[in-house]
Amino acid sequence: MSRDVILVDPLPRTVDLIMDPSVKARLHRLGEVVISEDRPMPAEQVDALLPDAVLIFGQTDMPKERLDRARKLKAIINVESNFLPNIDYQTCVERGIWVITPASAFASPVAEASLAMALDLARGITKADRDFRVGAEQYGLAGNEETFRFAGAPVGIIGFGDLGQQLRELIRPFRNHVRVFDPWLPEEIVQRADCVPSSLDELLSESQVVFVFASVTSENEGFIGAREFSLMRKGAAFLLMSRAAVVDFPAMLEAAGSGHIRVATDVFPEEPVAPDDPVRTTPGLLLSAHRTGGTRDAFYALGSMAVADAELIMRGLPPQLCRRADPATVRRLRSKTGHGVLISPCRGLPTACFL
């Protein structure tokens, strides 16, 4: 007897992490659910299930030879939030198989944390707290000699996908002049958000606060380096909130340690960060352990968005909440697994190289 199998291979996520009981119940109503979450689903189990698989939730390798045997497959839903180079995306397009991710679930919490960290850098909140605890606090104006008001400060946003656009909406009450650098977007989209399309050099040199939401592609790895940091105003704030590999990380540490700029980062070249990594002792840094997107509600949103779109797909309708992988852009992406925001059309995507 023919059966509809839903293959759930979600690591590094788990079902309980991304689905509350009501969403899990909806998932089970779609078909026979087979889960492997203590380890990646073994290849022999995947191969045995493929002929009956209608949906795949997770990051299962799906080259053409597997797709050839998955004739009932309707969708692959990546719940890690990064489109990985382990799928034949072109074949999926040709066969009408949706490849989607609910990564935009992370956009709002990342934007919220980015604003909080920017306010911290501008007003020296964490530094003042540390000074106070060791008896080195300064009162009144003396305690604000190196601070600035975020309200009205010129802002630059590098990468204007879901994260950048969410951040732009959050900061509207602060009345900032906002420049945007995103070569993958037409100027009209930037202008509709009351922002000014800008070159990278202009944005860096004219902004008091710079937010980086760019994903890593074959074209932009390390594109912000020593030259770019030298363009920034002394004392400006630089917030790295998407992918560590878009910057020359040692150059960023040098710029912060020298006192030229102040830096906040939620991402690092290697995670977890080694105990003796210089990032832990470099002055001028505000550190966050890749946690800005990973709130309880954001993880549940991953699951609810994924299941809601799966319900539509099983009815023969297009998904409405998740982003679809585009072969023309996905092949340019360079990603590591393990974060909650990425990759565009994704820390999570209207454009493919900028989140």
Side-chain angles (χ1 to χ4, degrees):
M1 180 180 296
S2 177
R3 57 183 183 152
D4 288 344
V5 170
I6 300 169
L7 190 157
V8 181
D9 188 19
L11 288 177
R13 315 296 184 211
T14 63
V15 174
D16 285 341
L17 175 66
I18 64 174
M19 296 183 192
D20 67 24
S22 66
V23 173
K24 282 190 282 187
R26 289 163 58 192
L27 173 67
H28 281 268
R29 287 196 289 269
L30 292 175
E32 177 185 337
V33 178
V34 180
I35 302 173
S36 178
E37 58 184 357
D38 58 341
R39 58 174 178 164
M41 187 171 287
E44 58 273 17
Q45 185 178 14
V46 173
D47 291 337
L49 294 172
L50 283 178
D52 294 310
V54 292
L55 298 170
I56 296 175
F57 284 76
Q59 292 61 253
T60 310
D61 294 339
M62 289 300 292
K64 186 176 185 302
E65 53 269 26
R66 276 187 167 172
L67 292 169
D68 287 342
R69 291 184 288 111
R71 291 296 175 178
K72 296 174 62 177
L73 188 63
K74 299 178 183 294
I76 302 169
I77 305 174
N78 181 309
V79 295
E80 194 271 340
S81 79
N82 294 286
F83 289 127
L84 305 173
N86 65 340
I87 294 174
D88 188 327
Y89 292 94
Q90 188 58 48
T91 296
C92 289
V93 170
E94 293 169 358
R95 297 185 184 173
I97 299 169
W98 294 97
V99 183
I100 58 178
T101 180
S104 59
F106 294 114
S108 180
V110 171
E112 179 181 88
S114 299
L115 173 57
M117 294 174 79
L119 290 168
D120 191 316
L121 290 184
R123 299 301 304 274
I125 298 168
T126 295
K127 182 180 183 302
D129 174 82
R130 291 171 179 167
D131 288 346
F132 205 109
R133 293 174 188 276
V134 297
E137 74 273 15
Q138 302 256 348
Y139 292 84
L141 181 59
N144 283 294
E145 288 293 344
E146 296 181 356
T147 70
F148 63 88
R149 292 283 307 281
F150 181 82
V155 164
I157 300 176
I158 299 174
F160 204 57
D162 285 343
L163 301 184
Q165 292 180 32
Q166 284 277 340
L167 186 279
R168 199 281 169 269
E169 293 309 307
L170 280 182
I171 67 174
R172 283 189 182 277
F174 292 92
R175 303 179 307 281
N176 310 93
H177 180 78
V178 181
R179 291 178 174 84
V180 168
F181 172 69
D182 190 329
W184 288 57
L185 284 182
E187 291 186 354
E188 286 79 3
I189 290 179
V190 175
Q191 291 165 342
R192 286 175 192 167
D194 300 319
C195 301
V196 178
S198 172
S199 69
L200 179 62
D201 285 4
E202 179 187 24
L203 182 151
L204 292 170
S205 62
E206 298 296 329
S207 300
Q208 186 69 29
V209 183
V210 175
F211 296 90
V212 181
F213 298 121
S215 275
V216 187
T217 75
S218 56
E219 300 164 354
N220 73 355
E221 191 165 355
F223 78 104
I224 302 175
R227 186 193 77 86
E228 286 71 31
F229 290 120
S230 71
L231 297 175
M232 295 183 65
R233 301 177 179 184
K234 181 173 175 55
F238 181 86
L239 295 100
L240 179 59
M241 307 304 295
S242 54
R243 295 295 178 213
V246 300
V247 306
D248 179 334
F249 216 81
M252 185 183 77
L253 296 186
E254 172 62 28
S258 70
H260 177 60
I261 60 173
R262 57 196 79 180
V263 171
T265 184
D266 185 49
V267 290
F268 305 88
E270 297 295 334
E271 299 175 7
V273 176
D276 60 349
D277 193 291
V279 75
R280 296 183 185 274
T281 55
T282 299
L285 288 176
L286 179 63
L287 304 175
S288 172
H290 214 148
R291 58 180 289 276
T292 58
T295 60
R296 172 70 277 174
D297 62 302
F299 280 118
Y300 274 164
L302 275 183
S304 63
M305 291 168 66
V307 170
D309 272 353
E311 291 168 336
L312 291 174
I313 290 167
M314 291 298 291
R315 292 167 52 201
L317 299 172
Q320 298 295 317
L321 299 172
C322 297
R323 299 288 183 182
R324 185 180 186 182
D326 185 288
T329 53
V330 168
R331 65 172 175 262
R332 301 187 183 195
L333 298 173
R334 299 288 183 270
S335 180
K336 295 181 180 179
T337 60
H339 187 248
V341 255
L342 164 82
I343 286 186
S344 321
C346 141
R347 125 139 93 239
L349 327 187
T351 61
C353 77
F354 292 88
L355 288 178

